[in-house]
């Protein structure tokens, strides 16, 4: 999983669909989920990219993104935020369902 920083964030999310895992080294839920998030990133690599943003190293960016707590997951499409989820109640089942629902909303309409 790629680590994104304040310097390359905008470029990273500029095209395609990107899931950002905003985490911190003192966030127990973040650390507990990390191995599962990394596996999830590998499983879904064909659908979208997943990157990690270490919040303490990117405080100004987190303020700009209005990330108020950890863990936080933000979904971007072509440089625009299309959804977010976060807080202590987030687990892998919740994250997987949210990602699937968010991506389903991006599917082109038929008819």
């Amino acid at each position: 999983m790629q680590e994104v920083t304040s310097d390359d964030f905008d470029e990273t999310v500029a095209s395609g669909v990107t899931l950002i895992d905003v985490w911190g080294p003192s966030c127990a839920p973040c650390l507990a989920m990390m191995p599962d998030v990394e596996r999830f990133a590998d499983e879904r690599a064909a659908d979208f990219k997943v990157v990690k943003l270490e919040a303490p190293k990117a405080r100004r960016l987190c303020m700009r993104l209005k990330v108020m707590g950890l863990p936080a997951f933000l979904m971007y499409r072509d440089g625009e935020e299309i959804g977010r989820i976060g807080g202590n109640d987030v687990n892998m089942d919740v994250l997987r369902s949210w990602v699937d629902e968010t991506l389903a909303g991006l599917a082109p309409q038929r008819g």
Side-chain angles (χ1 to χ4, degrees):
M1 233 167 72
Q2 175 188 346
E3 183 85 30
V4 68
T5 66
S6 298
D7 294 334
D8 61 359
F9 178 84
D10 291 324
E11 181 181 336
T12 300
V13 302
S15 63
V17 177
T18 307
L19 176 66
I20 299 101
D21 173 7
V22 186
W23 71 285
S26 61
C27 169
C30 299
L31 297 175
M33 287 182 67
M34 192 173 292
D36 294 325
V37 172
E38 290 174 353
R39 273 192 295 280
F40 181 63
D42 290 340
E43 291 169 9
R44 301 296 297 268
D47 302 323
F48 52 88
K49 61 186 163 193
V50 181
V51 298
K52 296 190 310 186
L53 175 65
E54 189 174 343
K57 291 183 178 178
R59 291 185 191 278
R60 287 182 191 254
L61 176 58
C62 287
M63 288 172 52
R64 185 183 105 198
L65 299 174
K66 298 182 176 123
V67 172
M68 302 299 179
L70 300 177
F73 294 89
L74 289 67
M75 180 85 70
Y76 275 72
R77 180 182 188 192
D78 298 331
E80 299 293 324
E81 184 180 330
I82 57 171
R84 67 173 55 206
I85 189 172
N88 289 333
D89 294 335
V90 175
N91 60 45
M92 282 310 298
D93 291 334
V94 170
L95 179 63
R96 287 176 188 276
S97 295
W98 174 77
V99 166
D100 289 341
E101 289 171 16
T102 302
L103 292 177
L106 297 178
Q109 302 251 338
R110 295 185 181 185

